[in-house]
Amino acid sequence: MLSILIPSYNYNIVELVKTLHQQATDSFVDFEIRVIEDGSTKFLEENNSIASLSNCYYEVLKHNIGRSAIRNLLADKAKYDYLLFLDCDAAITNDYFINKYLSFCHETAVVLGGRIYEEKILPEYSLTSFYGREREENNKTNISKREKHKVFTSPNFLIPKSVFNQVRFDENIKGYGHEDTIFGLMLKQKNIKFNYIDNPVVHVGLDTNEVFIKKTEHALKNLYNLYKNNNFPQLKEESKILSFYLTLNKYKLDKTVLIMFNLLKSKIYKQIISPKPSLFLFDLYKLGILCNIATNNDNMSV
């Protein structure tokens, strides 16, 4: 029936697995929980304890193979027809999490349960938390908004194994960023629908503001490279920031924006890592970074 798949990297997943195991056991369905450490060096002794739970499998890879490859590997090892992927830094906050997904295990639909964020957070996580609540949350209060512009996200989703094998995650995408965007585009190309339901996990493993910004910069580099490689021209419709950059480039305004950004970059950075970050300024920061990435890329191509 259900394979619960968790890629893990340097995170304590014991409580998450125990909660999932109890709910799955109580549901009286055939299930397994598979965790693979993707080159982790921390919490290995603690996490190894989950191997003693029934229907749980724990594996440690010596080397990190990446966000796409680890998900593909988990899917290959899964023995049941429905795959529930969860990020390792998630927390389950309701008693019906597994049962709600089981109600979709007789369909071909891809289902996204979403994730939410805690309101009270330390200042060093302010940008990550505020951005998550405003731009990434998916629960019953904003499902209709997300339905208008569907973007696939991978922290918490159910997919039939037969559907997964038609698309799979693109292992050419290295590092952090947009492997889930491309997965969603491939679903759309094959006319496979994905739907949002109100079954979120809590994102508890937040990055500090500085780490989040570095990851965002890497994701923007991935985004631009994916677009330039021309394998996914639909990216310009999928990504608002890429679409905006391409408009600036069309009217030869991107260089002007980059000059202004370089003058203001330090001030913008200081504000967006403050206890009350502005998402408008964060968007400007991302646009400036994207202009810089594109300019450097074009200069290297000359």
Side-chain angles (χ1 to χ4, degrees), residues 15 63 80 96 105 120 122 149 178 189 231 255 257:
E15 287 305 312
H63 304 288
Y80 292 118
Y96 52 82
C105 285
K120 295 180 180 180
L122 295 173
H149 182 64
H178 292 290
Q189 287 175 353
N231 293 328
K255 301 297 189 297
V257 169

Side-chain angles (χ1 to χ4, degrees), residues 75-141:
D76 290 339
K77 289 178 176 285
K79 64 180 181 180
Y80 292 118
D81 292 335
Y82 288 87
L83 313 179
L84 173 57
F85 282 92
L86 294 170
D87 280 0
C88 63
D89 58 352
I92 311 299
T93 60
N94 65 73
D95 295 332
Y96 52 82
F97 180 80
I98 291 296
N99 277 329
K100 198 160 189 177
Y101 271 127
L102 289 175
S103 65
F104 292 92
C105 285
H106 303 283
E107 305 178 13
T108 58
V110 180
V111 181
L112 283 68
R115 65 180 175 182
I116 56 178
Y117 291 75
E118 297 173 326
E119 290 271 346
K120 295 180 180 180
I121 211 73
L122 295 173
E124 56 263 39
Y125 303 99
S126 58
L127 177 60
T128 314
S129 176
F130 188 46
Y131 181 87
R133 291 200 307 272
E134 293 296 316
R135 301 283 178 83
E136 294 182 341
E137 273 199 346
N138 173 41
N139 56 23
K140 62 184 178 182
T141 63

Side-chain angles (χ1 to χ4, degrees), residues 17 21-22 24-25 31-33 49-57:
V17 171
H21 183 267
Q22 186 63 58
T25 300
F31 76 94
E32 65 174 348
I33 301 175
S49 65
I50 67 172
S52 63
L53 297 173
S54 60
N55 305 316
C56 288
Y57 304 90

Side-chain angles (χ1 to χ4, degrees), residues 184-221:
L185 283 176
M186 290 190 291
L187 288 173
K188 290 180 180 179
Q189 287 175 353
K190 293 184 176 294
N191 295 316
I192 299 169
K193 295 182 179 180
F194 54 88
N195 304 297
Y196 295 105
I197 63 170
D198 181 32
N199 200 26
V201 295
V202 181
H203 186 196
V204 292
L206 298 182
D207 292 317
T208 63
N209 295 333
E210 289 84 355
V211 171
F212 180 61
I213 290 172
K214 287 182 180 178
K215 284 186 173 181
T216 298
E217 292 173 354
H218 195 285
L220 289 168
K221 186 179 292 185

Side-chain angles (χ1 to χ4, degrees), residues 53-65:
L53 297 173
S54 60
N55 305 316
C56 288
Y57 304 90
Y58 180 71
E59 184 178 349
V60 179
L61 301 184
K62 291 183 178 180
H63 304 288
N64 185 282
I65 62 174

